[in-house]
Amino acid sequence: MRKRVSNLAESVGAVVLVHLFASGALAAPQPPTAAQLQTGQRVFTAQCGFCHGRDAMGGETGPDLTKSPLVRDEAAGDRLRAVVRDGRVDKGMPAFRLTDAELAAVVAFVRDQKVKAESPGARRSVSVADLQTGDAEAGRRYFNGAGRCAQCHSPTGDLAGLAARLQGLQLLQRMLYPSNGRGAKVAVDLPSGETVRGALAYRDEFTIALTDDAGRYRSWPAPQVKFKVENPLEAHAEQLGKYTDDDMHNVLAYLQTLR
Ligand code: HEC
Ligand code: HEC
């Protein structure tokens, strides 16, 4: 995943990081700086906003993060980091590779949104109208060019009639993260030296589980085994970090023409 952090944000992040190690918690006791909030908003909009809502208050597919105990409680910092790093792939939360500084900035942004959400006149910012602002021609160019979508897809092949099947946020969600991680495979190395392979059945910060070839569900405490997940949607997970807001709206506008 590309890193797009300005030097200023890096140094702000470094200060936060020192604090993280000192306290073991995610949040700094000082209020976040404007630069940190700006970084947080940029990362959040690019990578989290389409599922959790640009205002972090919940989208079509992701919960309201301003109400999440993982974000609210400073002591839950480790668990929050684990959710973002590992995802909850089976439930539609992809894994992300954010630096600690980026994640701290995202958390600062979400907490700030929580304050705003509780103030009068707050309103939601995910709207269907917002999904209609893209430029379809620019989206077509991105699809065939920089986005490299045409490597795997064709508007007259697998994506023919897509917009007739899916509209609005549903189409956006499918475009961003198509199948909630279904189809991912995992290989688990047990302490005994045995390696067990199968379809990824469950993954969170505590547990890794698979269904083996015999159809048996097997699970292990995630910290006690080594495992490697292979996801056919890796390209989509990576793409989440590459889209600019404009690219995303343009590609969506283009896909909306595939009827
Ligand atoms: C493709 C959609 C999608 C994207 C993108 C996404 N999430 Fe999620 N996220 C989800 C879903 C769905 C859940 C609920 C998972 C569950 O039910 O356990 C979730 C859950 C979470 C939770 C746990 C909330 C709780 O209280 O249990 C956190 C924290 C979180 N997401 C943060 C993020 C951050 C930060 C980003 C961006 C770096 C992000 N998410 C991007 C879909 C998404
Ligand atoms: C390396 C291969 C690869 C690349 C590159 C790729 N995708 Fe995908 N895409 C997939 C796979 C695999 C699926 C899942 C197909 C399924 O679930 O049936 C998928 C599914 C989709 C779907 C849902 C299709 C449906 O029928 O519901 C859309 C929309 C989509 N991709 C759009 C894009 C866009 C836009 C890009 C470029 C920014 C892109 N993809 C890049 C592999 C890729």
Side-chain angles (χ1 to χ4, degrees):
M1 192 173 283
R2 240 172 31 201
K3 258 183 69 184
R4 291 176 301 177
V5 185
S6 71
N7 288 337
L8 179 59
E10 288 271 26
S11 46
V12 170
V15 172
V16 173
L17 228 110
V18 168
H19 175 79
L20 285 183
F21 286 123
S23 70
L26 195 67
Q30 315 91 332
T33 63
Q36 193 185 25
L37 286 178
Q38 226 175 25
T39 303
Q41 175 163 33
R42 183 177 50 69
V43 174
F44 193 88
T45 306
Q47 306 201 33
C48 325
F50 29 81
C51 289
H52 290 289
R54 272 182 210 208
D55 54 7
M57 287 174 228
E60 190 80 340
T61 65
D64 182 344
L65 291 182
T66 64
K67 295 201 175 117
S68 163
L70 299 190
V71 175
R72 194 183 53 223
D73 303 337
E74 300 188 359
D78 284 345
R79 280 169 57 214
L80 172 78
R81 267 197 296 277
V83 171
V84 176
R85 190 190 58 228
D86 299 337
R88 287 180 185 158
V89 177
D90 59 318
K91 292 188 181 145
M93 167 71 193
F96 287 91
R97 267 159 271 163
L98 299 189
T99 64
D100 282 352
E102 285 172 319
L103 185 55
V106 164
V107 169
F109 169 71
V110 173
R111 288 189 183 144
D112 188 57
Q113 286 301 108
K114 182 177 164 62
V115 174
K116 289 191 179 140
E118 285 157 3
S119 66
R123 71 184 170 86
R124 320 241 346 186
S125 59
V126 178
S127 72
V128 174
D130 182 49
L131 300 179
Q132 312 298 332
T133 56
D135 171 346
E137 177 50 29
R140 191 187 61 77
R141 284 195 303 270
Y142 186 83
F143 186 96
N144 293 304
R148 307 168 77 167
C149 317
Q151 275 186 347
C152 301
H153 298 294
S154 151
T156 53
D158 67 325
L159 298 187
L162 179 72
R165 267 195 294 127
L166 297 167
Q167 285 94 34
L169 279 168
Q170 264 187 319
L171 176 57
L172 178 63
Q173 202 243 333
R174 190 103 188 111
M175 160 189 139
L176 293 172
Y177 203 67
S179 73
N180 291 350
R182 276 191 296 277
K185 300 247 182 277
V186 62
V188 180
D189 293 329
L190 305 183
S192 68
E194 187 196 354
T195 300
V196 187
R197 293 190 169 77
L200 181 66
Y202 184 82
R203 177 189 192 178
D204 69 10
E205 54 274 42
F206 309 112
T207 305
I208 181 84
L210 57 75
T211 310
D212 68 16
D213 288 344
R216 218 160 25 127
Y217 179 91
R218 301 182 63 182
S219 73
W220 298 269
Q224 286 170 31
V225 293
K226 276 201 199 139
F227 58 88
K228 188 165 182 295
V229 174
E230 275 169 24
N231 187 349
L233 294 173
E234 188 72 28
H236 275 259
E238 298 258 315
Q239 181 64 30
L240 290 176
K242 296 181 189 157
Y243 274 124
T244 65
D245 206 41
D246 281 348
D247 294 337
M248 206 156 57
H249 284 87
N250 294 344
V251 172
L252 182 69
Y254 170 59
L255 294 181
Q256 280 168 340
T257 67
L258 306 180
R259 296 192 164 273

